[in-house]
Amino acid sequence: MEVSALFQQRATDAADDARLRDRLVVGDESALADLHERFSSLVYTVAARVTRDGPAAEDVTQEVFLAVWQRPHAFEPAKGSMRAWLTMLAHRRAVDLVRREEAHRRTCRDGRLSAGAIMSGDPVGDQVSAAETAERLAAARRELPEHLDRAIALAYLEGHTYREVAAELGLPEGTAKSRLREALRRLAVALHDGETT
Amino acid sequence: MNSHEAVAELLGAWALDACPPDEELLVEAHLDSCPACAAEARELREAAASIGGVFLRAPAGSADRLLAAARERRPPATATLGYARAYAAQVAALDLLVHDLAPHEWRRTAAYGELTVHDLLAHLAAVDGLVADALGLPVRPPVRPGEDVAARTDAVLRRERDRPAEETRRSWRAQADAVCRALLTGPEPLTVSLSQPFSLVDAMTARAYETWIHGEDIAVATGRAVVAPLPEHLHPMADLAARMLPRVLTPRPAAVRLHLTGPGGGTWTIPFAPEPVRPAAELAADVVEFCRLAGARRDPSQITVEINGDAALAREFLAAVPTLAPVP
């Protein structure tokens, strides 16, 4: 995809997100159904990756969408995409749940991100854009140095704060912060490159 | 290290939800005032959103369970006929806005220098009651023969000021929903007397318009976000205003061409008198801002208008637009 086409696509996505938000504001039930249709797999996957528990992931997913229905104004299109916002809500709720219950059992202890399905659940079928994004990310992750990959795995998938990441890896806190930022920057660049080729 | 550098260092951790709560708040406050950090934060958040991938489908039936739970948490816009959907939508939006107001927010002055948020909702219920009465629905207090908008508002205000705001909200919403549902049963074509006689279709558009305008009054008074109507709801409101404008113009053989831009806009010829004449001026303005002007929520000098042709005629026209208000 050309860069100009990419920016055009982003503007279109932002307009779609804003309209979806405005339909939720005026109590349009079909907008909630559309939102669920578009993003439920993403939200459920994020929740499942963190909680490692199907029913808990479903609860998190439902609460995320209910929160948007009850407070659609909280989404500000100028600050980012609906996709990123829902992911953030799902991740925060899932991490809170795990921390509260302290029932977290990792099957993948080496800190590398696992790309496979992690628990009972229906694999998503041939959802082209999601599959493309996942493939770009998988490729980008393979390019990440191990020390960066491990840092974001601990933070994002295991729900640790950067201070806990620093303690876990025996690093100064400043270094842990830098690694998390650098890892995401590289992933962001890889995503852009994937979109513009 | 200054605060900008300190926050910039935290952006990766923030995007991954890996900041302690106090630092999370620190980052988010900074992002509101620093475009550079806000841009980077958006990029990092987008990257973080992709880490989990999409590998699992939400369990079967989750959409139905969600919609059932959603109706319990917040009632959706009530189903109704096409011409009343803008009204149902504005009612749902206003209900979302006021349903969790604090007691002191209900008492804030919101319009005309004297009406509180609570009063405004009672006023909306009062005028909606004239529509409900015309549809044969029971209305409390009963509408007296010949009761106009002002008298009706006074009667309802006297009643509602003695009731808790939450009860006023529930009554207003229940009556609005009943009006929407009554339209589905196919009422006979009728005229509804508000500030003037309206067809039922125009009456419902006028009710949508006033509900939106007072919703914005309440949003501003309580520091909440203002969201314009959807384009498909805004267009009939703009059309109603355009069709009513000749009533407030000094009659003479003149006309203007009005271009309202943006989603929901359109083009109208507004005659100053019934005899058709060629428009001597063209005006272009944003449709949302023009509707606010026609609702007397903007001053003609406040909105951006592009004028071509007879500038004096265009200015005369603009000066008259706010006198259309109050929207019935």
Side-chain angles (χ1 to χ4, degrees):
Chain A
M1 192 185 284
E2 295 296 327
V3 172
S4 60
L6 172 63
F7 283 120
Q8 183 67 45
Q9 180 60 48
R10 287 198 168 190
T12 304
D13 291 347
D16 287 349
D17 285 351
R19 176 163 171 85
L20 203 48
R21 190 274 313 264
D22 292 353
R23 288 171 60 207
L24 291 166
V25 167
V26 297
D28 180 352
E29 259 188 319
S30 67
L32 183 61
D34 291 349
L35 190 78
H36 187 270
E37 172 78 18
R38 277 175 62 188
F39 296 112
S40 61
S41 290
L42 172 74
V43 170
Y44 182 71
T45 301
V46 169
R49 278 195 170 282
V50 175
T51 62
R52 308 237 152 202
D53 178 295
E58 191 179 356
D59 286 348
V60 167
T61 302
Q62 173 129 317
E63 284 305 318
V64 165
F65 285 106
L66 287 173
V68 181
W69 175 244
Q70 290 179 275
R71 287 179 294 283
H73 295 95
F75 170 63
E76 298 179 62
K79 290 188 175 179
S81 69
M82 179 72 84
R83 172 177 160 278
W85 188 60
L86 291 173
T87 306
M88 177 200 75
L89 293 180
H91 187 258
R92 285 185 180 179
R93 281 174 184 270
V95 168
D96 286 348
L97 188 75
V98 168
R99 285 180 182 166
R100 274 201 312 271
E101 296 190 356
E102 295 187 343
H104 210 22
R105 292 284 180 271
R106 289 284 159 198
T107 55
C108 177
R109 296 303 306 168
D110 67 354
R112 293 294 296 180
L113 295 176
S114 158
I118 47 174
M119 37 167 282
S120 62
D122 297 330
V124 165
D126 185 24
Q127 294 187 2
V128 176
S129 64
E132 284 177 353
T133 302
E135 179 49 41
R136 276 202 303 277
L137 247 293
R141 288 207 311 261
R142 285 194 293 272
E143 296 301 311
L144 272 186
E146 171 132 9
H147 68 282
L148 297 183
D149 190 58
R150 189 158 161 69
I152 57 172
L154 285 168
Y156 197 75
L157 297 181
E158 302 205 19
H160 292 300
T161 66
Y162 73 84
R163 290 175 183 163
E164 292 166 340
V165 172
E168 177 87 12
L169 299 178
L171 300 169
E173 287 182 2
T175 305
K177 284 189 279 190
S178 300
R179 286 189 183 184
L180 296 176
R181 190 180 180 192
E182 179 60 21
L184 281 185
R185 278 177 165 174
R186 292 194 190 200
L187 289 179
V189 168
L191 279 174
H192 282 203
D193 289 349
E195 286 172 339
T196 54
T197 51
Chain B
M1 186 188 297
N2 65 32
S3 67
H4 170 83
E5 287 168 345
V7 168
E9 267 200 344
L10 282 167
L11 287 176
W14 174 81
L16 292 159
D17 299 324
C19 284
D22 58 328
E23 291 183 327
E24 191 173 277
L25 293 173
L26 181 80
V27 171
E28 287 171 7
H30 178 74
L31 295 183
D32 286 335
S33 60
C34 178
C37 282
E40 183 179 348
R42 272 196 301 274
E43 291 295 324
L44 299 186
R45 182 69 94 183
E46 293 291 336
S50 303
I51 289 173
V54 181
F55 300 103
L56 300 172
R57 183 177 288 117
S62 61
D64 291 340
R65 287 192 291 278
L66 170 66
L67 291 175
R71 289 179 203 121
E72 291 293 315
R73 300 258 187 118
R74 175 196 168 198
T78 303
T80 189
L81 294 180
Y83 67 79
R85 282 187 194 133
Y87 171 72
Q90 289 310 308
V91 166
L94 180 52
D95 201 19
L96 175 67
L97 180 68
V98 300
H99 88 283
D100 63 349
L101 290 183
H104 71 278
E105 292 177 308
W106 281 104
R107 293 192 293 271
R108 280 198 190 148
T109 302
Y112 312 122
E114 59 174 338
L115 294 186
T116 64
V117 172
H118 186 180
D119 291 341
L120 266 188
L121 214 60
H123 165 62
L124 287 171
V127 187
D128 286 349
L130 295 173
V131 180
D133 182 64
L135 291 169
L137 296 168
V139 178
R140 289 199 307 167
V143 176
R144 295 193 303 274
E147 194 170 43
D148 64 8
V149 168
R152 176 82 192 148
T153 294
D154 287 345
V156 174
L157 273 182
R158 277 196 301 275
R159 178 175 184 263
E160 296 300 331
R161 280 174 173 165
D162 290 335
R163 301 171 79 213
E166 177 58 14
E167 285 185 26
T168 301
R169 183 189 74 81
R170 287 174 191 272
S171 301
W172 160 77
R173 177 73 197 248
Q175 178 178 257
D177 289 349
V179 166
C180 289
R181 285 193 297 269
L183 296 173
L184 286 172
T185 62
E188 294 297 311
L190 48 76
T191 298
V192 182
S193 281
L194 300 173
S195 58
Q196 55 196 284
F198 281 99
S199 70
L200 184 55
V201 172
D202 281 353
M204 294 314 300
T205 301
R207 298 314 304 134
Y209 201 151
E210 196 190 21
T211 304
W212 164 45
I213 292 292
H214 287 324
E216 289 205 347
D217 291 339
I218 290 168
V220 170
T222 58
R224 303 298 205 275
V226 168
V227 177
L230 296 174
E232 60 267 39
H233 298 158
L234 191 61
H235 183 80
M237 298 181 201
D239 180 67
L240 179 68
R243 285 186 287 112
M244 289 176 66
L245 275 167
R247 302 178 192 187
V248 297
L249 299 171
T250 304
R252 67 176 198 275
V256 298
R257 193 93 165 128
L258 178 64
H259 302 283
L260 296 182
T261 58
T267 298
W268 290 265
T269 298
I270 316 284
F272 283 52
E275 308 81 38
V277 295
R278 189 183 180 85
E282 297 209 6
L283 301 89
D286 174 75
V287 61
V288 176
E289 284 296 281
F290 187 86
C291 285
R292 289 173 177 145
L293 178 71
R297 293 306 185 274
R298 290 289 185 275
D299 184 272
S301 65
Q302 284 179 307
I303 69 167
T304 303
V305 185
E306 185 183 325
I307 295 173
N308 286 303
D310 186 338
L313 182 71
R315 281 195 295 273
E316 178 190 337
F317 168 77
L318 277 178
V321 172
T323 65
L324 197 58
V327 179

